[in-house]
Each structure stands twice: as C-alpha cells, then as structure tokens.
Amino acid sequence: MAIERSFSMIKPDAVRRNITGAITTMLEEAGLRIIACKRVHMSKSQAEEFYAVHKERPFFAELTEFMSSGPVIVQILEGENAIARNRDIMGATNPAEAKAGTIRKKFALSLGENSIHGSDAAATAAQEMAYWFSGSEITG
Ligand code: ATP
Ligand code: MG
C-alpha cells in the first residue's frame, strides 16, 4: 500500500464544542499522522470556493453559512492509504447512516453539522492541501 497524504478540516460545530483533540486522537489511532495543522476562520467566499462543487445544490447556502460561522482546524494527514482511511474513520456523511466507531457517528450533530471534512480523491486532496498550506508549513 502506498503512503499518501490527505486533507482534513474539523468543522465549526466540533471546534465550538472543544472536541478537536478527541477527533484528532481518532485520526491518529486510525494510523494517520498530522504533518501540518492550523486554525483558520473562513470567510463566506472562501467557504463558497471550498465547496464550489456543490454550488447548485439546495443546501449550498446553509453549508457555506455554517462553514464560515466559526473557526475550523485544517490538517494534512499522512499514512498508508490515507485518503480512503480518513474517509473510513470519518464515517458516512449523514451521522444516522455512519457506522459505530466512526467520528461522525460519535460526534456529528446532523447531516449538515457533521464535524469533519475529508478529501474524497487524490486530485481533490492535492488541490485542497495546496490551497490551505504552503510548503514550509508541512513539517512531515
Ligand atoms: P465533506 O465534503 O464535508 O467531507 P462528504 O464528502 O461526506 O462531506 P458531500 O456530499 O461532499 O459529503 O457534502 C458536503 C457537505 O455538505 C456534507 O459533509 C454536509 O456538511 C453538507 N451536506 C451534504 N448534504 C446535505 C444536505 N442534504 N443538507 C444539508 N447539508 C448537507
Ligand atoms: Mg465531499
């Protein structure tokens, strides 16, 4: 299996509830290493750019309001099969459908306020890592 990197964002609902450490522990226990990390507060337009793929969806306004409503933690995760592994430990988008032992099952409040984002493919991971981090912020 290949060592990969993926991008993760702990969403405002989780930052507000002070559970970023608990979520990071679950990522680490799944075998992922945090090789870059910072706290940012997205503007509405940054949130719109980040989720541009969903701009035609009925929940786009709600999603971008929520994502810009408070600070988030952006991270780069490294490990074997990191992209798929991160999606596995996150769990399904809707916490009602997420498996036991996943982050969203344990912490998500709703389909919208679901505590964590993770890149869904190599191309989006590369694009999201490059958008949020400069080379010198990635320490390995
Ligand atoms: P993310 O991209 O945040 O990792 P995901 O890939 O599991 O989540 P997407 O389909 O990309 O799911 O949806 C992006 C986000 O939009 C979801 O995580 C959720 O916060 C929000 N969302 C998705 N569907 C709905 C919906 N029907 N109503 C409200 N919010 C939604
Ligand atoms: Mg997605």
Side-chain angles (χ1 to χ4, degrees):
M1 273 192 288
I3 298 291
E4 286 179 342
R5 290 179 174 181
S6 190
F7 175 80
S8 167
M9 183 182 283
I10 302 178
K11 296 185 179 184
D13 66 288
V15 176
R16 218 170 269 135
R17 286 177 288 151
N18 208 25
I19 54 173
T20 63
I23 289 174
T24 300
T25 295
M26 289 181 74
L27 296 171
E28 291 178 341
E29 285 176 349
L32 298 165
R33 177 174 290 272
I34 315 297
I35 61 163
C37 180
K38 64 187 173 188
R39 192 174 175 103
V40 299
H41 189 155
M42 276 192 278
S43 65
K44 183 83 168 9
S45 62
Q46 271 180 310
E48 287 168 354
E49 194 179 343
F50 185 67
Y51 277 119
V53 67
H54 296 310
K55 64 176 183 296
E56 307 301 336
R57 308 285 287 276
F59 57 83
F60 186 65
E62 177 193 326
L63 173 62
T64 54
E65 284 290 337
F66 164 59
M67 291 301 294
S68 58
S69 69
V72 300
I73 307 281
V74 290
Q75 297 181 318
I76 296 178
L77 311 176
E78 186 176 77
E80 276 187 8
N81 253 350
I83 298 166
R85 187 168 289 199
N86 181 40
R87 296 289 301 190
D88 282 350
I89 187 64
M90 284 165 54
T93 309
N94 186 343
E97 291 161 14
K99 289 192 192 133
T102 62
I103 292 169
R104 283 168 166 168
K105 182 66 177 185
K106 189 160 185 197
F107 294 118
L109 298 176
S110 64
L111 172 57
E113 300 200 8
N114 60 2
S115 305
I116 189 162
H117 157 83
S119 306
D120 55 13
T124 46
Q127 183 191 322
E128 292 170 359
M129 289 188 284
Y131 179 88
W132 289 103
F133 291 98
S134 64
S136 63
E137 291 176 312
I138 304 168
T139 56

